[in-house]
Amino acid sequence: MGKPVEHPTALILTWKEYNVMILANENFLKLQASYLFSDIAKRVSAFQKNHPDIAVIKLGIGDVTSPLPPACVEAFHTAIDEMASASTFRGYGPEQGYEFLREAIAAGDYAPRKVTIAPEEIFVSDGAKCDTGNFQELFAQDIRIAIPDPVYPVYVDTNVMAGRTGPFEDGAFTGLVYLPCTPENQYLPALPDEEVDLIYLCFPNNPTGAVADRACLQEWVDYAREHKALILFDAAYEAFIRDPDIPRTIYEIEGAREVAVEFRSFSKTAGFTGTRCAYTVVPKECQIYTSHGEPIDLHALWNRRHCTKFNGVSYPVQRAAEAIYSPGGQQQVKTLINAYMENAARIRTVVTEAGYTCVGGEHSPYIWVHTGTDSWSFFDRLLKEAGVVTTPGVGFGSCGEGHIRISAFNSRENVECAMDRIRPILG
Ligand code: PLP
């Protein structure tokens, strides 16, 4: 009998050692570090260090700048007083949201558009980021997913984390079906050539600001019905739509209740980015399927997930959100949005007068400018020569190259000043 081969024991893990080791979800290692906003911050702070005398104007990150509407503040205060008294104190509320808010949403956001959404179909949450990110948990591992490019990065990254993609190669994750949004298609994604099961859509769009009309949305709903697919429709910016003929909700489209989930947020509508309140609509007709083709009630599944992992939005925040639907709240929200939209119109005018083509800014707070040049270089030029911060389009996906996003979220004075500074550079 030969001598047993000796292994260098230091390099080989015993079964016991291997078994006790905490293993990582290696899908997280595929994620591309999100350098976009930290890179922007670094460049801005370097510029500011060298030019302390220049007041930088930020039209980059999509965060609101105006305070909460007074109706919301008042309701917030009252609700906090209720929490301070034993007779009106509230502990855990319903995970799906209080009935008063769900009823106000159904009556205030859907009924005026002649859309019937039952309060039980509404799930109140602390943000559309969490909801759009979490919803993919309900689907199988090997579904085919269509995602626009450029895009709000949460849709892609949460599917990467869940292991539904291959590695990142040549600017894209393998395994995803990207839907290019380019000047050639007016930034509206075409139906995919290959069959897909899950479709992410966002209108008015972040980052492009493009909106979809009824015919365009009908095509997607018809596709989803025909292919037993599901649309995740992000309507976080619906409040910025001016034209009454443009759908404010996917449920204005025939058949959408069978195949679409809608995400909404109070963040941009009413300045709730720091207050946190949003909601998701899952109609009772929506179905997904087992591998044997048996239908599953999507509403029941999301309800189960939501109640297991979420304990509800705080009572004062829900009262503040409810106040948006009061007559005073409605007027104040309108004023708030009109102010941002006046900024957007101003930005559009300056950009187009300088000879650039752009989309957005008409029904959205974002203006997507086609610069035709490297987007980081254009960003640097506006920062260095005008002290104005924008967002380079490539940060939202490879089809964003050659574009910059300008946000209308700032005061009128700052936008005027920024436009005065960039006009000579663009021209
Ligand atoms: N969806 C889109 C398209 C967004 O741009 C944003 C925020 O910028 C969100 C969702 C997140 O909204 P919330 O503040 O409700 O998490």
Side-chain angles (χ1 to χ4, degrees), residues 93-111 116-125 266 277-282 284 299 302-303 306-307 313 318-319 321-323 325:
E95 290 96 337
Q96 300 90 342
Y98 283 101
E99 201 62 26
F100 63 76
L101 179 55
R102 299 165 92 196
E103 276 171 5
I105 291 168
D109 284 346
Y110 291 100
T116 304
I117 294 293
E120 314 83 76
E121 294 174 318
I122 296 167
F123 295 84
V124 175
S125 79
F266 299 111
C277 198
Y279 65 89
T280 290
V281 178
V282 188
K284 292 273 175 71
H299 180 277
W302 179 246
N303 189 49
H306 193 75
C307 294
V313 173
Q318 293 193 59
R319 280 294 186 201
E322 181 198 22
Y325 299 98

Side-chain angles (χ1 to χ4, degrees), residues 291-314:
S291 53
H292 302 293
E294 292 139 358
I296 299 175
D297 176 353
L298 187 65
H299 180 277
L301 216 58
W302 179 246
N303 189 49
R304 188 70 175 82
R305 190 261 169 220
H306 193 75
C307 294
T308 303
K309 294 196 174 181
F310 187 64
N311 242 348
V313 173
S314 82

Side-chain angles (χ1 to χ4, degrees), residues 48-97:
Q48 198 71 94
K49 213 167 149 197
N50 294 332
H51 302 88
D53 48 319
I54 298 179
V56 167
I57 301 174
K58 294 184 176 166
L59 303 179
I61 293 178
D63 196 0
V64 295
T65 51
S66 298
L68 290 175
C72 300
V73 175
E74 196 186 324
F76 221 154
H77 279 295
T78 308
I80 288 177
D81 287 343
E82 283 180 54
M83 298 298 266
S85 160
S87 62
T88 48
F89 170 78
R90 305 215 186 193
Y92 288 124
E95 290 96 337
Q96 300 90 342

Side-chain angles (χ1 to χ4, degrees), residues 62 127-129 152 155 202 206 234 236-237 265 267-268 276 278 366:
K129 184 181 208 173
Y152 177 57
Y155 318 149
C202 172
N206 177 17
D234 188 342
Y237 297 93
S265 171
S267 283
K268 311 298 160 79
R276 312 303 305 146
Y366 300 125

